[in-house]
Amino acid sequence: MTRLESAPHKAEKRTKIPRWVLGLGPLVLIAALIALFSLLNAPGLTGLGDDRPPEEAVVVENIELTDGLITLTVRNEGADPVSIAQVVVSDYYAGFTQSENQMAHLESNTVTVSYPWVQGDPYDISLITSAGGRVDATIDAAVLSPDKGTSFFGLMALLGIYVGVIPIGLGLLWMPFVRRSSPAWIRGLLAFTVGLLVYLTIDATLEGIELVRDNASYGGPLVVLLGAITAYLILEGIEGWAHQRTTHPAGTANPAQPAGMANPARLSPQMLSLLIAVGIGLHNLGEGLAIGSAYAVGSLALGASLVIGFAIHNTTEGLAIVTPLASQRPPLTRLAILGLIAGAPAILGALIGATVYQPTLAAFLLGIGAGAVGQVATKLLPMLKDTTGRTLTPLTASGIIAGLIFMFATGLLVIT
């Protein structure tokens, strides 16, 4: 009886299909189906839209002004190819050259227009396609685009230091005040920090959506949400990895905790301040990108008001970094590193924005900043609990509101 039962069992083992084959099988079938569909020239669908007019969707991504020239970077968002046939500048047909005679889907084109523009004057530009469509762009006040030489990039780096490194460094000077504060004051400051981070999350999201509101290339506003979700998940993964290594070094385990269960302990003050610095740094990367790109096309008003506005607006970000360290005595080198992590990305962002500005990239980076700062805000909420276990008390609710109002008020000082 045993032999009769074991024979089918052995046969079952011999015919078992490997798991990787089961996973790869559907992909192979899909690839074969697509190849057959292409080989047969899409039976039943060929010529389906031949009678409809072409669908043209072109967006102007960038405008630069040099002596006697207006250079536009345009991109084809539609599925049909597009050709630029004429250029009209303030009701005047202007001569032009272009890098591409025809733009395929998502392809960009550089259109250089010969026109004797005048400093400070407004201009309406229309690109006429070969199918008769119009692509409109407006220059509110013509300004010569800066020459991108060594001095220009030095200025971008200096601007990043002004709006990122220096304000956050000044904010770190609140460390002695934070260390001497009572537990109630610490909860209030942490709530104020949450308000700051919530404001930065909302501000970066709205700014990113505004950049690509009329630009559907690569998903339009969806890239902002994609960036935010990506940053949130990456920081959660990094936090979990670092927390696991700190709590249970390699080769050790917690005997009081079942295998596979996450450690419920809260983050250490050092890790929390690092996460805040990383989140703010990613936000400042997107902020620097927007500043650099705006200055590159001459639309940023540089001056004392800009520096003062950003100094006041970003100084509180330094306070957000040091508040979790209220019970610690961190060395100055650690504070300096945290300040650079949070502020130095503004320099990189300004350099990138001034060199290779692209609205979708800027929106994606702003989304990354929003997701990173939002992730950090959620990690601060458990630290707001009082002795009764309540998170939103009159003190903490007032602190969050104060943080929101302060960031909104100081944001009005920033002129871009």
Side-chain angles (χ1 to χ4, degrees):
M1 192 67 171
T2 304
R3 292 179 181 177
L4 293 176
E5 290 178 353
S6 62
H9 182 67
K10 291 181 179 180
E12 182 181 349
K13 282 187 176 181
R14 286 197 300 269
T15 58
K16 188 175 182 180
I17 302 175
R19 187 167 63 93
W20 67 269
V21 174
L22 296 175
L24 190 61
L27 297 178
V28 173
L29 293 177
I30 291 173
L33 182 62
I34 292 175
L36 180 62
F37 189 74
S38 301
L39 183 64
L40 296 178
N41 197 20
L45 299 180
T46 305
L48 190 62
D50 290 347
D51 296 332
R52 68 171 178 82
E55 181 180 348
E56 296 181 332
V58 179
V59 62
V60 178
E61 292 186 339
N62 195 23
I63 302 177
E64 292 189 6
L65 300 174
T66 53
D67 290 334
L69 297 175
I70 302 175
T71 303
L72 302 95
T73 302
V74 298
R75 188 176 299 276
N76 178 20
E77 297 180 343
D80 296 324
V82 178
S83 298
I84 304 297
Q86 293 176 321
V87 177
V88 179
V89 181
S90 297
D91 299 325
Y92 170 80
Y93 285 92
F96 70 98
T97 60
Q98 54 185 330
S99 60
E100 301 289 340
N101 292 327
Q102 188 179 69
M103 290 180 289
H105 177 53
L106 293 182
E107 189 174 10
S108 65
N109 187 11
T110 301
V111 181
T112 303
V113 185
S114 300
Y115 189 85
W117 58 271
V118 178
Q119 183 91 359
D121 284 359
Y123 294 97
D124 293 321
I125 304 174
S126 295
L127 306 179
I128 313 299
T129 69
S130 57
R134 296 175 67 94
V135 182
D136 297 323
T138 301
I139 300 175
D140 296 327
V143 178
L144 184 68
S145 298
D147 182 25
K148 297 179 181 178
T150 304
S151 60
F152 172 76
F153 291 112
L155 177 61
M156 288 298 98
L158 184 62
L159 183 60
I161 293 173
Y162 278 160
V163 303
V165 178
I166 292 178
I168 291 177
L170 293 175
L172 297 177
L173 297 178
W174 264 309
M175 185 65 197
F177 166 75
V178 171
R179 291 189 65 252
R180 295 186 183 182
S181 298
S182 65
W185 264 96
I186 295 300
R187 287 197 300 273
L189 290 174
L190 287 171
F192 185 79
T193 298
V194 171
L196 303 181
L197 298 178
V198 169
Y199 177 90
L200 291 177
T201 302
I202 298 172
D203 180 60
T205 302
L206 294 179
E207 188 175 347
I209 292 174
E210 179 67 21
L211 280 177
V212 289
R213 183 182 59 183
D214 300 322
N215 188 340
S217 300
Y218 307 107
L222 286 177
V223 300
V224 182
L225 300 179
L226 178 63
I229 294 172
T230 300
Y232 188 94
L233 294 177
I234 288 176
L235 285 186
E236 283 285 342
I238 293 175
E239 173 201 326
W241 173 79
H243 185 66
Q244 184 179 14
R245 286 179 60 88
T246 302
T247 309
H248 305 298
T252 66
N254 184 358
Q257 184 174 313
M261 294 290 290
N263 193 311
R266 292 195 307 187
L267 292 173
S268 66
Q270 294 85 354
M271 177 56 65
L272 192 54
S273 63
L274 177 60
L275 284 177
I276 293 175
V278 171
I280 290 175
L282 291 174
H283 174 270
N284 284 334
L285 176 65
E287 196 173 69
L289 188 79
I291 293 171
S293 60
Y295 184 78
V297 298
S299 63
L300 182 65
L302 287 177
S305 60
L306 176 70
V307 176
I308 293 173
F310 269 112
I312 297 175
H313 188 67
N314 290 352
T315 296
T316 50
E317 295 176 357
L319 174 63
I321 295 172
V322 300
T323 300
L325 299 173
S327 61
Q328 309 288 317
R329 190 184 290 272
L332 292 178
T333 53
R334 181 176 180 83
L335 291 178
I337 291 173
L338 291 175
L340 288 175
I341 291 174
I347 302 174
L348 179 61
L351 292 173
I352 295 175
T355 309
V356 289
Y357 174 70
Q358 210 281 336
T360 303
L361 173 62
F364 180 73
L365 290 178
L366 285 168
I368 285 180
V373 174
Q375 190 267 354
V376 176
T378 62
K379 299 304 173 184
L380 284 175
L381 289 176
M383 300 183 68
L384 304 184
K385 292 181 180 180
D386 61 8
T387 54
T388 64
R390 294 179 58 194
T391 300
L392 289 179
T393 62
L395 173 65
T396 56
S398 300
I400 293 174
I401 294 173
L404 290 169
I405 293 176
F406 184 85
M407 290 299 281
F408 176 79
T410 56
L412 298 178
L413 299 175
V414 180
I415 304 173
T416 56

